Amino acid sequence: MAVATVAALLAALGGALWLAARRFVGPTVKRLHRGGDSGLMHGKTVLITGANSGLGRATAAELLRLGARVIMGCRDRTRAEEAAIQLRREICQAGGPELGPDSSGAGELVVKELDLASLRSVRSFCQEVLQQLLNSFAKEEPRLDVLINNAGIFQCPYMKTEDGFEMQFGVNHLGHFLLTNLLLGLLKSSAPSRIVVVTSKLYKYGDINFEDLNSEQNYNKSFCYSRSKLANILFTRELARRLEGTNVTVNVLHPGMVRTNLGRHIHIPLLVKPLFNLVTWAFFKTPLEGAQTSIYLASSPEVEGVSGKYFGDCKEEELLPKAMDESVAGKLWDVSEVMVGILK
Ligand SMILES: NC(=O)c1ccc[n+]([C@@H]2O[C@H](COP(=O)([O-])OP(=O)(O)OC[C@H]3O[C@@H](n4cnc5c(N)ncnc54)[C@H](OP(=O)(O)O)[C@@H]3O)[C@@H](O)[C@H]2O)c1
Ligand SMILES: *[C@@H]1O[C@H](CO)[C@@H](O)[C@H](O)[C@H]1NC(C)=O
Ligand SMILES: *[C@@H]1O[C@H](CO)[C@@H](O)[C@H](O)[C@H]1NC(C)=O
């Protein structure tokens, strides 16, 4: 009996140590720009969707630290303002004399409302951004150096966007499709400029079923998330093709598994929660670790001129053939133009 208890205790202890070891000495992602490079993004304007939470927030924090002026495109103004206040505070605390929103080191944050589940909101957001850029640098031409399509919704119950699109396809793909198209002129006139798209490895389980893009016949929330993330990749590749010779690049990345608010629609039983938390703590990346590839693609001189590629952990990765199918990518582009109403 005593032996069994001791054995169980030892096993539990061993397990905990192993998890802790995974966390602290496991293969962690190297943080780019640690310490140095503080002026790398100085004078650059970056727009990030979903910048109030998770990966978007961590990406905003780092680019801000590198001197960028960051426009946060967020669905909820209150949550976004709170995040902005915290980010400014963190920058002030972290920074020495050369960092701080009022000195030349760190950049500047601007919050703007953007609901990707509403085409009307996407359109008025773009108008406001253009207006803001015109007003704030009256003497200079307005510029947008980097657009980061980061916002996302994961495995929600069946819902439709304001315009009647299945929610995950509508927000993750169509909202960003319209946003990017409306900002393309500005990105081109700001060249060299970059577009960064956040997808997921789960794209592997998706397909673009053109006959039921709004999932009216049958809704499978995992399939729809995967489909939207496959659409992100096909969109990137088609856009890269269309942007050849413009000095505007577009690349797509998967962040790995990251501890964020993305799982808000997944219900985990109360009893399993502590175990789940332990496992995510041990195996998932922190938002700052997860954001490294977004930060890399947005800022590194190494990827200057690189376009249409798929990245993970700051390295190029292979795609499945279905994500490289040019005819599906072309057809998705055409169908998306019709759906968001920008057909010329
Ligand atoms: N976490 C992971 O393990 C993981 C893995 C693979 C890929 N990703 C991708 O990473 C990206 C960022 O997700 P995250 O993990 O950082 O999750 P998160 O913490 O939930 O952040 C998602 C962001 O998207 C915003 N958003 C959701 N719906 C929106 C809408 N209709 N309009 C505008 N913004 C909207 C959210 O705003 P609110 O806060 O207002 O809801 C939030 O700011 C997503 O594209 C996701 O697919 C994440
Ligand atoms: C839902 O889609 C996922 C991913 O495509 C698939 O693995 C799963 O079997 C589907 N579930 C149902 C009930 O069809
Ligand atoms: C792209 O950049 C190259 C190198 O800086 C430059 O020579 C070329 O004119 C640029 N092309 C356009 C379309 O801006």
Side-chain angles (χ1 to χ4, degrees):
M1 195 59 187
V3 173
T5 314
V6 170
L9 276 174
L10 279 177
L13 188 66
L17 277 174
W18 179 71
L19 283 179
R22 280 280 319 184
R23 182 77 203 97
F24 294 112
V25 293
T28 50
V29 194
K30 255 195 244 107
R31 184 172 166 194
L32 294 160
H33 311 307
R34 171 172 262 153
D37 301 337
S38 69
L40 186 65
M41 294 299 282
H42 188 72
K44 306 246 179 197
T45 302
V46 181
L47 197 168
I48 309 178
T49 65
N52 63 291
S53 170
L55 292 164
R57 186 188 185 287
T59 306
E62 193 70 348
L63 295 175
L64 181 67
R65 201 180 63 76
L66 293 171
R69 151 179 229 282
V70 178
I71 303 172
M72 305 169 65
C74 299
R75 157 165 68 161
D76 184 289
R77 178 162 284 278
T78 317
R79 277 200 293 274
E81 295 286 2
E82 267 167 33
I85 290 168
Q86 278 178 11
L87 287 176
R88 290 190 195 104
R89 195 179 298 142
E90 283 167 24
I91 284 280
C92 286
Q93 283 165 356
E98 88 281 17
L99 286 176
D102 299 316
S103 65
S104 56
E108 174 189 353
L109 276 179
V110 182
V111 171
K112 291 264 175 253
E113 258 174 73
L114 167 66
D115 182 357
L116 290 157
S118 155
L119 298 179
R120 193 177 38 84
S121 170
V122 173
R123 289 183 182 280
S124 64
F125 170 80
C126 290
Q127 267 168 9
E128 267 199 47
V129 166
L130 284 169
Q131 202 52 52
Q132 164 92 29
L133 292 175
L134 276 172
N135 292 343
S136 49
F137 285 136
K139 290 209 189 79
E140 294 169 35
E141 284 294 307
R143 7 182 341 104
L144 179 59
D145 299 279
V146 186
L147 166 65
I148 307 182
N149 290 344
N150 161 85
I153 181 165
F154 176 72
Q155 299 195 3
C156 53
Y158 190 65
M159 288 191 260
K160 282 189 165 180
T161 67
E162 193 177 281
D163 308 275
F165 308 136
E166 183 276 312
M167 185 61 74
Q168 300 185 74
F169 192 70
V171 169
N172 301 354
H173 170 61
L174 290 172
H176 283 119
F177 178 84
L178 178 60
L179 178 77
T180 309
N181 274 285
L182 294 179
L183 296 173
L184 218 47
L186 183 59
L187 284 157
K188 283 180 185 164
S189 64
S190 312
S193 55
R194 301 176 181 196
I195 302 168
V196 176
V197 177
V198 182
T199 185
S200 161
K201 271 189 177 174
L202 293 175
Y203 85 84
K204 289 176 188 172
Y205 305 103
D207 271 306
I208 310 295
N209 56 335
F210 288 102
E211 72 291 348
D212 191 20
L213 287 180
N214 286 322
S215 303
E216 270 150 354
Q217 288 155 32
N218 118 58
Y219 182 64
N220 173 336
K221 60 185 184 177
S222 341
F223 171 80
C224 286
Y225 179 72
S226 295
R227 175 177 69 179
S228 73
K229 293 285 133 180
L230 173 61
N232 289 157
I233 302 175
L234 293 165
F235 163 74
T236 301
R237 294 182 54 89
E238 174 66 19
L239 184 57
R241 198 182 64 73
R242 288 169 179 251
L243 288 174
E244 265 171 36
T246 60
N247 290 344
V248 183
T249 62
V250 53
N251 291 291
V252 61
L253 68 108
H254 76 81
M257 291 192 298
V258 191
R259 240 170 307 134
T260 65
N261 293 321
L262 196 67
R264 72 189 80 193
H265 295 291
I266 306 298
H267 295 290
I268 294 159
L270 210 60
L271 281 173
V272 187
K273 206 122 202 185
L275 182 66
F276 178 79
N277 288 338
L278 187 68
V279 168
T280 57
W281 172 77
F283 294 101
F284 283 33
K285 293 175 182 173
T286 63
L288 181 60
E289 287 167 347
Q292 293 304 306
T293 311
S294 300
I295 296 162
Y296 174 73
L297 291 176
S299 66
S300 174
E302 274 174 41
V303 283
E304 179 98 61
V306 174
S307 194
K309 303 287 190 241
Y310 174 64
F311 287 81
D313 290 337
C314 302
K315 283 190 281 290
E316 197 190 324
E317 291 187 6
E318 298 260 301
L319 281 168
L320 291 184
K322 71 171 157 191
M324 300 192 290
D325 188 320
E326 286 175 17
S327 73
V328 175
K331 186 169 173 196
L332 176 64
W333 187 281
D334 295 344
V335 169
S336 302
E337 278 188 338
V338 175
M339 290 178 93
V340 304
I342 53 169
L343 196 64
K344 275 143 241 150

